[in-house]
DNA sequence: ATCATAATTTATAATGATTCTAATATAGTG
DNA sequence: CACTATATTAGAATCATTATAAATTATGAT
């Protein structure tokens, strides 16, 4: 896994210096097959290297500004982020407090019939709350 | 406006004692034609009577538990509540930071094709982010 | 009305996520 | 190497929310 070089390039090309903290965070976030939904504390917990909390916040915010992460709207005490930055929807498992992707093709076409003068639609997102069946 | 009596009954029938604080909050929330979307600080600000912050939190949570209010999911530093407790969707005006109701009949039928074993759907909510057109 | 009791209100403290600060360390450039 | 802009860091500050525990109030029974 020599993604280090790839991440270094990615960071440089975004005007972010490739520090060891940022590269470590890149590995944690982007070295995976599936979409990753996480909170800051999740990220801190899975990191073996010790990165200060301030740096984690700084880095995640920088990545969000650069468009490498997306902030997800769920009413929670914590903010969630998503490595899938495309327009897509979510299940939110209220028991596990976990987000699960819901691709466009898993959702019928959404038609918003109401319009508001002087306003344009920026995004349309569905949140499907789920709980244990029993 | 002798809603006081109506609110007193409503509170009693919910097993909540009709205190002057709760009746005042009822008036602020339910004595209006339109749906009201608010945060705790919004509510504190529009109240002329002095009700302690703890009581405002307690009351809003009690009303939510009783089904008279609905918590709304937007990623914000504050929690928002809604006097419209029916299943419905929202516009979120990113410029004014205001929620606007979007009735079911303003949205085409939503079909969630993906299912998760052992899980049941609790709610399906759409958030349509809007910004100024220009 | 008086009492008894549980429910409610309240001021205040505690909590916890996030942001800020300002000192130290590091990356990029020549 | 030396210079400077950037980045990291520990710790403090902020702010919404929740917890605590004492004082007040609503209600039902005498
Ligand atoms: Mn939130
Ligand atoms: Mn929050
Ligand atoms: Zn996602
Ligand atoms: Zn609403």
């Amino acid at each position: 896994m020599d993604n280090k070089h790839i991440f270094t390039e990615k960071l440089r090309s975004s005007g972010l210096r490739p520090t060891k903290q940022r590269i470590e965070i890149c590995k944690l976030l982007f070295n995976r097959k599936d979409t990753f939904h996480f909170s800051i504390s999740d990220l801190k917990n899975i990191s073996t290297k010790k990165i200060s909390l301030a740096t984690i916040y700084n880095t995640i915010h920088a990545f969000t500004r650069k468009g490498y992460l997306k902030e997800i709207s769920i009413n929670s005490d914590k903010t969630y982020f998503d490595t899938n930055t495309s327009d897509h929807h979510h299940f939110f498992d209220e028991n596990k407090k976990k987000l699960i992707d819901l691709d466009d093709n898993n959702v019928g076409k959404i038609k918003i019939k109401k319009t508001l003068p002087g306003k344009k639609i920026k995004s349309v997102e569905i949140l499907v709350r789920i709980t244990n069946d029993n």
Side-chain angles (χ1 to χ4, degrees), chain A:
Chain A
M1 308 288 144
D2 190 33
N3 301 72
K4 186 179 166 179
H5 180 254
I6 292 164
F7 293 138
T8 298
E9 283 314 298
K10 190 172 176 174
L11 287 166
R12 277 226 182 79
S13 72
S14 316
L16 298 171
R17 291 184 177 177
T19 63
K20 61 178 188 299
Q21 292 86 347
R22 284 172 177 164
I23 288 166
E24 167 66 7
I25 290 174
C26 279
K27 286 180 183 170
L28 295 172
L29 297 182
F30 306 120
N31 252 350
R32 36 179 92 223
K33 203 165 36 228
D34 298 316
T35 298
F36 186 38
H37 300 100
F38 64 97
S39 65
I40 296 288
S41 57
D42 292 337
L43 189 54
K44 189 160 181 59
N45 289 335
I46 61 173
S47 174
T48 53
K49 315 235 171 75
K50 54 179 172 316
I51 304 174
S52 83
L53 193 57
T55 297
I56 296 179
Y57 273 101
N58 288 341
T59 302
I60 295 308
H61 288 154
F63 287 5
T64 303
R65 254 180 276 114
K66 295 297 180 184
Y68 302 141
L69 292 172
K70 197 169 183 277
E71 217 183 300
I72 301 298
S73 266
I74 47 172
N75 229 16
S76 166
D77 44 339
K78 292 174 185 173
T79 300
Y80 283 78
F81 297 90
D82 193 338
T83 57
N84 180 353
T85 59
S86 76
D87 252 329
H88 67 288
H89 312 293
H90 291 99
F91 282 119
F92 183 62
D93 185 327
E94 303 232 294
N95 300 106
K96 291 187 191 158
K97 306 283 178 205
K98 279 282 165 204
L99 283 163
I100 301 159
D101 272 357
L102 193 49
D103 284 345
D104 265 359
N105 56 313
N106 278 320
V107 178
K109 265 270 174 292
I110 304 157
K111 192 183 313 261
I112 307 296
K113 291 168 191 164
K114 186 174 180 175
T115 56
L116 291 164
K119 300 289 176 180
K120 62 161 179 280
I121 290 175
K122 201 180 140 195
S123 69
V124 176
E125 283 177 21
I126 303 179
L127 184 68
V128 181
R129 288 178 189 276
I130 57 178
T131 51
N132 291 341
D133 209 352
N134 57 48

